[in-house]
Amino acid sequence: MPVRELVVLGTASQVPTRRRNHNGYLLRWDGDGLLFDPGEGTQRQMLYAGVSAGGITRICLTHFHGDHCLGLPGVLARLNLDQVTHPVDICFPGSGAELLAHLRGVVPDFAGLREHPVTADGPVALAEAPFAFEAVRLAHRVDTFGYRLIEPDGHRFLPDRLAEFGVAGPAIGRLQRAGSVRTDDGRTITVDQVSAARPGQRFAFVMDTRMCSGVEELAEGADMLVIESTFLEAETQLAHDFGHLTAGQAAKVAAAAGVRTLVLTHFSQRYGDLAGHHDEARRYFDGDLVIAEDLMRVPVPARR
């Protein structure tokens, strides 16, 4: 069965703690597995989470700070060890091409890696992807991009309309594939006559950044927004100085953008207890709120 869920592999910013590994997020989207920002220990966290390297089809790096990319060599080594035969796309800030080459160079080269350097806002052409994929520039201390997955709009069949027009059994499959079907009484029935529009789902990923227009753009209309919340509002100036967000800022953006499920992550080691992040975010956001924990699985909300 197709699965759409976020597997949280790590939630720590800068340094790991006893309970938080460095970053790592695997989005399982039907037949695709998108690995975002694999920090140190990602390969081991995948074992604990029960997900395999063979399920990875895309890797997305927001920037080249170590807590977001130093797990990449281990992941590439595992792809080789497991003899993964399918190609794997990797998206990354183009200004870090030399850094990526160094990370690739410390392990046997995985020949199936297809590089997609990102240099500006806009679509990223991923082969065989059943969705659109976009990058948007963020505002950190180094070149940084966030990412957004957009599923094409579709339709859902209405059982009462199908029954009304006499479309049943194998004819429904033919209608789905061809867009129209001829009934036994000679009528031609189209998809539009027996269905309703179904908006495609959206997933957005925002890591290290201070507040900027890119954060708002990525969050707009997202069914799930995974976003850093390194600090609390008491440290707003510190967050800005170091290019980060507070839980309150992330929640305000999510509320304004109509986000359905908000996943807060990337927590400073100064916060042993994350109740403050929950309470601060809840003051601004009344939707589905998740304070990410290592090895947690968060389902993408069901289609509307």
Side-chain angles (χ1 to χ4, degrees), residues 1 16 49 62 89 119 127 135 144 146 184 199 203 205 215 228 256 284:
M1 291 291 293
T62 59
D89 296 300
T119 58
T144 302
D184 292 341
F203 170 89
F205 188 80
V215 177
E228 70 123 308
Y284 307 106

Side-chain angles (χ1 to χ4, degrees), residues 2-11 24-30 32 34 36 49 51 201-205 222-227 259-265 267 285 287-302:
V3 174
R4 294 186 179 183
E5 66 175 2
L6 177 75
V7 182
V8 180
L9 302 173
T11 57
Y25 311 87
L26 179 67
L27 176 65
R28 301 177 68 207
W29 189 276
D30 300 339
D32 273 278
L34 294 87
F36 292 88
V51 292
Q201 290 190 306
R202 294 188 174 202
F203 170 89
F205 188 80
D223 293 276
M224 176 180 285
L225 170 63
V226 179
I227 186 168
V259 169
R260 298 175 64 198
T261 296
L262 172 62
V263 181
L264 299 184
T265 187
F267 307 113
F285 180 76
D288 183 15
L289 174 62
V290 177
I291 307 300
E293 299 178 3
D294 287 26
L295 308 183
M296 172 185 283
R297 291 174 181 251
V298 186
V300 176

Side-chain angles (χ1 to χ4, degrees), residues 31 47 58 79 109-110 127 139 154 163 175 196 202 206 220 233 278:
L47 292 174
R58 333 275 179 182
L79 291 171
D109 188 45
F110 174 63
L175 177 60
R202 294 188 174 202
V206 175
E220 185 61 36
E233 286 182 325
H278 178 278

Side-chain angles (χ1 to χ4, degrees), residues 46-209:
M46 290 175 64
L47 292 174
Y48 283 132
V51 292
S52 70
I56 298 171
T57 57
R58 333 275 179 182
I59 300 173
C60 309
L61 304 182
T62 59
H63 64 295
F64 282 96
H65 279 163
D67 55 329
H68 295 260
C69 68
L70 288 182
L72 179 62
V75 171
L76 296 179
R78 190 56 183 261
L79 291 171
N80 266 320
L81 181 65
D82 290 355
Q83 299 182 338
V84 170
T85 58
H86 63 257
V88 175
D89 296 300
I90 183 165
C91 308
F92 61 95
S95 59
E98 185 176 352
L99 294 171
L100 177 62
H102 287 309
L103 291 170
R104 293 187 66 174
V106 299
V107 295
D109 188 45
F110 174 63
L113 199 64
R114 302 186 295 200
E115 295 188 5
H116 299 271
V118 176
T119 58
D121 294 5
V124 181
L126 302 180
E128 299 94 37
F131 45 74
F133 198 70
E134 298 177 348
V136 177
R137 188 179 297 276
L138 298 173
H140 194 40
R141 293 173 290 158
V142 298
D143 210 13
T144 302
F145 287 87
Y147 297 103
R148 177 169 58 185
L149 180 157
I150 303 175
E151 180 185 32
D153 292 340
H155 61 265
R156 57 184 178 85
F157 286 125
L158 303 174
D160 57 336
R161 298 288 286 172
L162 289 169
E164 178 183 343
F165 284 95
V167 180
I172 297 176
R174 295 197 300 272
L175 177 60
Q176 174 74 31
R177 292 188 297 272
S180 65
V181 69
R182 193 172 182 84
T183 60
D184 292 341
D185 58 7
R187 292 178 298 167
T188 297
I189 309 302
T190 66
V191 167
D192 290 342
Q193 291 176 283
V194 294
S195 68
R198 185 204 67 201
Q201 290 190 306
R202 294 188 174 202
F203 170 89
F205 188 80
V206 175
M207 280 295 124
D208 297 20
T209 183

Side-chain angles (χ1 to χ4, degrees), residues 247-275:
Q249 288 173 323
K252 288 177 184 178
V253 166
V259 169
R260 298 175 64 198
T261 296
L262 172 62
V263 181
L264 299 184
T265 187
H266 195 270
F267 307 113
S268 167
Q269 67 269 25
R270 70 180 58 206
Y271 304 109
D273 183 353
L274 298 176

